[in-house]
Amino acid sequence: RASDTILAVTADSNGMMAALIQSNFANHGSGITAPGLGFSLQNRASLFAMSNSHYNLFEPNKRPFHTIIPAFATKDGKPLMAFGLKGGAMQAMGHAQIVTNMVDFGLNVQEAGDAARYYHAGSNEPTGFVMTDGGLLSLESGIGEDVRVELERRGHRLGATDPETGAVYVGSVQAIMYDEEHDVYWGASRMKIRWTRRRGI
């Protein structure tokens, strides 16, 4: 494969939680394998610019732009949830949508992951790409036609779904949330990965 990403979330009986994402990024990553460990290192430094005039120049004490975002949420200063979403540039948007679904719409952790999502492509990039046309906004089929019509009325360009499956690129979610009131963990998983079939979800 050109690239692969794994996401793992875990928790223990002491209330410790963690989220981990590993992604080689492209073409087997850097091509360097950690001696004795059996995994290859990623090559996200390729997202730096090599031009001295570029703000994203490869320099000491800088990190490259990337979408490796294992997430952790707290509530009232206490650990609440370890979670993550795989799916390239969808990750930051997906994380925000999961949290919004829980905080603003009162969904539980599984419902938040199951809810229909949207994906915007074609934004400005730190690699130098500049958006000139507003990009494309793709919506899962669970988002109503009235919302689609209103978005188009406001000038948004809606991206086409996959022609064979009628699907949208929305990533996959895994999460573990601690319920302090009942002293239990709730787990959630929605395996959308790359494309999910168009259906009323």
Side-chain angles (χ1 to χ4, degrees), residues 40-197:
S40 60
L41 303 177
Q42 46 86 1
N43 63 338
R44 290 182 184 266
S46 64
L47 292 171
F48 279 123
M50 298 309 289
S51 167
N52 288 333
S53 62
H54 198 284
Y55 66 90
N56 197 33
L57 174 67
F58 180 66
E59 295 177 305
N61 301 312
K62 289 175 73 174
R63 295 181 182 181
F65 173 76
H66 64 77
T67 56
I68 301 302
I69 313 172
F72 195 84
T74 61
K75 183 177 181 181
D76 300 325
K78 298 178 181 178
L80 175 68
M81 180 171 66
F83 69 109
L85 186 140
K86 297 188 304 180
M90 177 62 196
Q91 288 182 54
M93 287 177 271
H95 281 75
Q97 291 173 58
I98 298 302
V99 173
T100 296
N101 285 338
M102 296 176 72
V103 173
D104 296 331
F105 299 110
L107 302 184
N108 67 41
V109 65
Q110 184 65 57
E111 291 169 333
D114 287 343
R117 294 195 286 273
Y118 60 87
Y119 172 67
H120 183 269
S123 296
N124 292 348
E125 298 283 349
T127 54
F129 175 81
V130 176
M131 178 177 66
T132 59
D133 58 5
L136 289 173
L137 181 63
S138 297
L139 310 173
E140 278 198 283
S141 59
I143 296 174
E145 186 62 26
D146 58 330
V147 174
R148 296 168 189 272
V149 170
E150 179 63 15
L151 286 167
E152 287 183 316
R153 187 190 71 77
R154 293 182 181 210
H156 293 279
R157 290 190 313 130
L158 298 189
T161 57
D162 179 82
E164 292 186 20
T165 65
V168 177
Y169 180 79
V170 292
S172 64
V173 176
Q174 284 80 46
I176 294 177
M177 186 185 83
Y178 179 61
D179 180 341
E180 186 175 28
E181 180 182 351
H182 299 99
D183 193 29
V184 296
Y185 285 115
W186 298 104
S189 181
R190 185 172 184 204
M191 299 303 294
K192 293 185 179 186
I193 309 296
R194 296 292 180 185
W195 295 95
T196 185
R197 294 197 176 278

